[in-house]
Amino acid sequence: MKQKRQNLILLLVTALVISSCTNTPDESLKNLEGYWEIERVTLKDGRIKEYNFNDTIDFISLEDSLQGVRKKMKPNFMGTFETSKDAETFIIKIENDSLNVYYTTPFDSWKETILLVTKEQLKVVNKHEAVFLYKRYKPLNLD
């Protein structure tokens, strides 16, 4: 009985330490800007779609701390990008300790929730409960 109590206390202390070390939504925003390449999508039913090659990447730009633009970019072998003038504007709202991104285009509007954003990974979930995992884009090095 004493061992179980000690294990429970250790588990609770560990959980508190881990939760206190995680970034707040405000701190996570600094990692959001930049070029992102989709790595995989996990659908609601558990199926996973891997992306081994992407001909487009997402560029996320923050205009201020809670507004920005996302554009599809097409990298080329010269190290530059081709893009259209189309862009998805968004507003970020911090709601219940979550980062919710509200997109608006002339054709639609939708919400995604950021589950994780670090210097190297971005994970979001959409209204269909599909989880998108992105990795930081690294240009091809042909040398």
Side-chain angles (χ1 to χ4, degrees), residues 44-92:
K44 181 180 179 178
D45 64 6
R47 288 182 293 143
I48 296 174
K49 178 167 178 159
E50 299 283 343
Y51 288 82
N52 298 317
F53 173 78
N54 296 298
D55 62 344
T56 62
I57 59 172
D58 288 346
F59 174 68
I60 297 174
S61 173
L62 292 174
E63 296 171 356
D64 67 28
S65 63
L66 296 177
Q67 293 184 42
V69 174
R70 182 170 82 174
K71 292 182 106 179
K72 291 288 185 192
M73 311 290 280
K74 191 172 229 175
N76 62 37
F77 293 111
M78 303 297 287
T80 59
F81 299 94
E82 298 173 24
T83 185
S84 69
K85 294 183 180 180
D86 295 333
E88 301 163 345
T89 60
F90 62 81
I91 295 173
I92 297 174

Side-chain angles (χ1 to χ4, degrees), residues 14 21 23 25 31 33 38 76 81 99 113 117 125 136 140:
T14 303
C21 293
N23 288 343
N31 294 318
E33 254 190 323
I38 193 162
N76 62 37
F81 299 94
L99 284 175
T113 300
V117 59
V125 62
R136 185 71 67 181
L140 292 174

